[in-house]
Amino acid sequence: MGNQHRGVSRRGLLGSAIAVAAAAATGGTATAATPASQRAPQGASQRGEVPALWHEFTRTPFAHPQIPYVGRAGYRAGAARFPRRPVVADVRDYGAVADDGATDCAPAINRAIAAAGKAGGGTVLIPPGTFRIDDLIRIGYSNVVLRGAGSGVTKLYATRNLTELIGVYGSRYGGDKSSWSWAGGLIWLCPTDRFTTLTTAIKAKAWPFEGWTGNKRDEWQTLTTLAPARQGSRSVRVADPGKLKPGQLVLLRLADDADHTLLEHMSGGGPGTEAYVWDDKTKLTSYVPYEWPVRIARVQGEKVTLERPLPLDVRPEWDPRLTTLVQPLTGSGVEGLTLEAVETPQSPHLLDKGYNGVTFQCAYDCWADDVVVRHVDNGFGLVAASACTLRRTRVTGRGAHHPYFCREGSHDNLVEDFTIEQRTVPAPAGTQLHGINVEGLSSYNVWSRGDMKMGTFDSHRGLPFANVRTDITVDNTGTHGGDYSAGPLFGARFTHWNIRVTNSRAGLMKIDGLAPHSATVGINEVTEFGQIDVPDFTGDLHARVELYGTTDVVRPRNLYEAQRAF
């Protein structure tokens, strides 16, 4: 629990949460501060309704069969404020010049960041003005914050793309695709050593694994094996606590067995998942083992308490263990600026050159706040990133392939108060728009209080599970990615809660017919047209739908914020 909950009993918290929901149901409505696009339209019911699912959840919040517990998603388990680190560098002192249009300020900004890193951390200031950058900006040191004077007054103007700066980046899955279509950023937060190994491999055309253990899946060492435990538990029993200590970041590693019972468990289990053919889904199975980074809160003999509840069961057949991981970037952020790329036509699908925005990779407890990206191929990325918060972010300009992407084992992240603006030019032929995407066995991520003037909810058939999208207005104009042969659209405990679809297009909004053990709650009436999917699993999906055909009446209105009370 966060500091604000010390000394408060769990029973008291549960009672408070139920009381809040009950109070909301008697008439809670949007306030004047609520964006117009997120308010109930005139004529909508002003009396909130509490679904049965919420009452059930309050009784079993950490092991509910349809709704995941995501109340500790984001930086420092959902901290309301980011730290204000002391200023240690001003980019002008390192040679950056605003508004002249000719000076490449990337070297100066990167020198200032490196100086802050070598000093042990701190804030690097970028004053008001437009700063041209002909290279990417690398934040590779922990506890370093790159801070502009506000997204409306500080701009980085990027003239080159990642293909030019680093090289062609092919896909490890084959074909002629460009991995810059889903990786990398012109502001790239990634540990220096990890960034070096990644880019060295790309330049050598040895397409790397992008995850938590290095360019190869076997670059880790066992710290200890684990005894069986249940999903939702905060504590585990370990065989050897000798290498563990409070505050340490470790990787929970779960391998699959020959019958793919781990993938079945991620999908809710039962006859439908057992009948599914997993062996030929080679891209999907390449994501296994499942790797979940977590901070150790307490070590008491063989009992280890974790910062967050277990995301899955821990079973002997999955060879469960805590292992090392690459030294992640922690405590770093980017704030108060706009990153604008030189305006070019959007590339054909999967051939992006890499005019990408802000990407977090192998990052834990990091953040972005008040950041706008414009004219980008891909907006904000989470690649093997966990416990990060993206707050008050916006994607705008000529249109993006992935405005937001979350992939390669990214968990427990929070994207809140986000906006995808309508594109400023028509989409060229052969391009696609995916909106907010989550894939690659990524879990327990939250998208909250969003305004999507275009796009969709995507999963690229990468079996994401236990994710939440809540309190979002969307003009559902995009298409989801992933061939039918790639894998299932959804795993279990996927929740869409209070979703306002302005064009009434159903695709991946109302998910009770597609996602196993899922919940669709408080969504207006939608109709299938355009891209239409069929369930991946046979039989009863054990999915729930409540308050269908309503607009903004479900209480609690925001599922993530309500779960913060637990």
Side-chain angles (χ1 to χ4, degrees):
M1 297 285 178
N3 292 341
Q4 69 271 30
H5 294 152
R6 288 179 182 171
V8 181
S9 71
R10 177 176 171 184
R11 179 174 295 178
L13 288 174
L14 296 179
S16 298
I18 295 169
V20 168
T26 63
T29 61
T31 67
T34 305
S37 62
Q38 298 183 23
R39 297 179 199 157
Q42 285 189 332
S45 172
Q46 297 298 299
R47 186 177 183 83
E49 296 185 48
V50 181
L53 271 165
W54 175 251
H55 292 297
E56 294 172 14
F57 177 83
T58 61
R59 293 192 289 271
T60 58
F62 305 110
H64 191 274
Q66 280 89 19
I67 299 176
Y69 173 71
V70 293
R72 295 178 68 80
Y75 169 80
R76 287 292 179 181
R81 293 183 177 87
F82 304 122
R84 302 293 288 182
R85 306 204 186 283
V87 175
V88 297
D90 186 312
V91 298
R92 293 170 295 185
D93 296 334
Y94 291 81
V97 179
D99 300 323
D100 73 349
T103 302
D104 174 15
C105 298
I109 296 171
N110 284 325
R111 285 195 297 268
I113 291 170
K118 291 174 183 176
T123 296
V124 175
L125 288 182
I126 308 179
T130 297
F131 296 81
R132 172 175 172 159
I133 57 171
D134 298 339
D135 198 354
L136 62 92
I137 303 303
R138 303 179 299 278
I139 302 177
Y141 303 89
S142 291
N143 302 314
V144 171
V145 179
L146 183 65
R147 181 186 302 154
S151 61
V153 294
T154 295
K155 180 192 295 185
L156 302 183
Y157 181 70
T159 64
R160 304 176 72 191
N161 57 59
L162 293 169
T163 300
E164 296 173 294
L165 296 172
I166 296 173
V168 172
Y169 189 3
S171 170
R172 72 177 189 260
Y173 304 112
D176 60 355
K177 304 177 183 69
S178 168
S179 285
W180 298 129
S181 299
W182 55 74
L186 292 170
I187 299 178
W188 200 335
L189 293 92
C190 179
T192 297
D193 290 345
R194 187 75 183 95
F195 178 85
T196 299
T197 61
L198 278 167
T199 54
T200 298
I202 292 167
K203 292 173 183 177
K205 301 188 185 306
W207 314 132
F209 170 66
E210 302 161 88
W212 290 104
T213 57
N215 288 352
K216 298 179 180 179
R217 295 301 298 262
D218 58 358
E219 298 179 41
W220 50 271
Q221 295 180 348
T222 297
L223 298 171
T224 183
T225 56
L226 301 180
R230 296 301 302 272
Q231 172 206 322
S233 173
R234 285 280 308 280
S235 298
V236 292
R237 291 280 175 183
V238 301
D240 180 8
K243 297 179 180 179
L244 306 178
K245 60 183 179 180
Q248 180 181 2
L249 273 170
V250 297
L251 200 65
L252 171 65
R253 188 177 188 275
L254 299 176
D256 207 355
D257 58 15
D259 293 326
H260 300 293
T261 59
L262 176 61
L263 292 174
E264 292 174 3
H265 177 53
M266 292 175 181
S267 304
T273 63
E274 292 172 5
Y276 186 78
V277 178
W278 300 95
D279 285 328
D280 62 352
K281 310 301 188 297
T282 54
K283 180 178 179 180
L284 177 67
T285 54
S286 76
Y287 296 142
V288 181
Y290 175 79
E291 294 168 335
W292 181 65
V294 66
R295 199 181 301 277
I296 292 175
R298 188 178 304 111
V299 179
Q300 297 172 297
E302 295 179 350
K303 179 182 177 182
V304 175
T305 302
L306 306 174
E307 182 181 36
R308 289 176 170 83
L310 283 174
L312 294 163
D313 287 353
V314 171
R315 300 180 186 173
E317 55 265 36
W318 301 330
D319 189 24
R321 56 186 67 210
L322 299 180
T323 76
T324 59
L325 65 164
V326 298
Q327 186 65 42
L329 189 73
T330 60
S332 294
V334 55
E335 304 175 343
L337 58 82
T338 289
L339 173 65
E340 179 176 324
V342 58
E343 187 171 0
T344 60
Q346 185 177 347
S347 296
H349 189 228
L350 300 178
L351 297 177
D352 294 346
K353 294 181 174 66
Y355 288 108
N356 295 348
V358 181
T359 291
F360 295 78
Q361 186 159 7
C362 295
Y364 192 98
D365 277 339
C366 293
W367 71 89
D369 185 24
D370 182 28
V371 177
V372 175
V373 296
R374 182 176 290 118
H375 301 323
V376 293
D377 293 335
N378 301 282
F380 293 88
L382 297 160
V383 182
S386 289
C388 295
T389 295
L390 278 58
R391 182 175 294 155
R392 299 190 298 161
T393 57
R394 183 159 57 100
V395 181
T396 185
R398 50 92 154 151
H401 180 192
H402 297 101
Y404 291 84
F405 59 91
C406 177
R407 50 177 296 271
E408 206 75 22
S410 292
H411 315 288
D412 304 299
N413 297 293
L414 170 63
V415 182
E416 64 180 358
D417 299 310
F418 68 96
T419 303
I420 302 174
E421 297 285 3
Q422 184 59 259
R423 62 187 311 133
T424 54
V425 296
T431 64
Q432 287 196 20
L433 166 66
H434 296 310
I436 56 175
N437 177 54
V438 57
E439 60 177 288
L441 307 187
S442 296
S443 62
Y444 294 86
N445 301 288
V446 178
W447 290 261
S448 169
R449 295 198 305 268
D451 187 4
M452 298 172 58
K453 295 180 174 64
M454 62 177 189
T456 193
F457 294 172
D458 204 353
S459 73
H460 277 65
R461 293 192 169 274
L463 195 66
F465 67 94
N467 296 277
V468 167
R469 292 152 171 162
T470 182
D471 198 5
I472 298 172
T473 299
V474 54
D475 194 35
N476 186 23
T477 59
T479 55
H480 77 72
D483 296 331
Y484 185 77
S485 61
L489 283 163
F490 299 98
R493 300 188 311 284
F494 216 105
T495 300
H496 289 175
W497 186 286
N498 191 15
I499 305 299
R500 301 168 291 274
V501 188
T502 60
N503 63 346
S504 301
R505 180 172 178 253
L508 298 193
M509 302 288 127
K510 182 175 179 287
I511 59 174
D512 56 294
L514 294 173
H517 299 268
S518 67
T520 303
V521 181
I523 180 173
N524 56 283
E525 188 170 340
V526 291
T527 303
E528 291 283 6
F529 62 90
Q531 190 176 43
I532 299 175
D533 293 291
V534 297
D536 294 292
F537 303 111
T538 58
D540 188 351
L541 295 181
H542 301 282
R544 301 277 294 277
V545 59
E546 287 196 63
L547 297 180
Y548 175 57
T550 66
T551 302
D552 243 2
V553 304
V554 61
R555 297 295 182 269
R557 186 177 195 270
N558 186 293
L559 181 62
Y560 166 73
E561 292 173 358
Q563 288 193 15
R564 293 288 297 144
F566 291 83

